[in-house]
Amino acid sequence: MPEIDELIAAVDGDRADLGTEQFVVAKSEDARILGCGRLRPYPEFCEIASMAVAEDVRANGIGRAIVSRLLEQYSGTIYLICEDEVVEFFRRFDFRLLPASDVPDGLDTKWDYFRSLAGSMNLMTRG
Ligand SMILES: CC(C)(COP(=O)(O)OP(=O)(O)OC[C@H]1O[C@@H](n2cnc3c(N)ncnc32)[C@H](O)[C@@H]1OP(=O)(O)O)[C@@H](O)C(=O)NCCC(=O)NCCS
């Protein structure tokens, strides 16, 4: 977990309530954690959160592999909150943008927090 926490911290990601059982990670042959992402469960949906790939290994398909694995684990409605630069990345997995007024109960506190930090944020959903 310290390695995962460090990766997420490096992208100013969501480090709240990190539970090992929620994560999919990518590891190198020498056991370095190259990337991570998790499915956080809520009563009526899941959220993809805490996606981070180490900067020196980005654009090699690691992020895509992690999202594919997470999507295999849950077929219900999924939400995520992301910055503008990664909207196109998630569109490839059939996520679509939603207006801020559609933030579901449970995600509103996180939405307000990250939007106040970054200025602009995007809410996306799938399913
Ligand atoms: C988003 C992120 C996890 C993607 O990881 P990755 O391993 O680089 O992604 P992949 O290599 O699988 O990318 C797949 C495609 O998306 C594109 N892409 C990925 N991140 C991108 C970005 N930030 N801007 C533009 N394009 C991006 C890649 O170029 C690649 O396109 P290609 O297949 O045409 O070459 C990584 O950029 C990251 O850690 N970003 C910071 C944290 C973040 O924004 N997390 C999401 C919020 S939950």
Side-chain angles (χ1 to χ4, degrees), residues 12 14 16 19 28 50 61-62 65 75 79 98-99 105:
D12 293 326
D14 177 356
S28 66
S50 312
I62 295 171
S75 58
Y79 289 89
L98 287 178
D105 284 347

Side-chain angles (χ1 to χ4, degrees), residues 22-37:
Q22 295 177 0
F23 275 91
V24 164
V25 298
K27 271 188 179 176
S28 66
E29 280 176 8
D30 61 356
R32 172 188 168 208
I33 295 186
L34 304 174
C36 63

Side-chain angles (χ1 to χ4, degrees), residues 84-112:
D84 297 348
E85 310 84 76
V86 283
V87 164
E88 291 311 313
F89 171 79
F90 284 115
R91 272 194 211 279
R92 292 177 178 208
F93 296 95
D94 298 329
F95 280 92
R96 61 183 192 281
L97 286 169
L98 287 178
S101 54
D102 285 1
V103 173
D105 284 347
L107 262 190
D108 39 358
T109 309
K110 174 172 173 174
W111 171 258
D112 290 343

Side-chain angles (χ1 to χ4, degrees), residues 11 50-53 58-64 81-82 85-86 89-90 92:
V11 300
S50 312
M51 282 285 312
V53 170
R58 283 191 195 159
N60 283 307
I62 295 171
R64 211 160 26 186
I81 293 170
C82 69
E85 310 84 76
V86 283
F89 171 79
F90 284 115
R92 292 177 178 208

Side-chain angles (χ1 to χ4, degrees), residues 45-61:
F45 60 90
C46 277
E47 177 199 6
I48 287 188
S50 312
M51 282 285 312
V53 170
E55 221 168 340
D56 60 316
V57 291
R58 283 191 195 159
N60 283 307

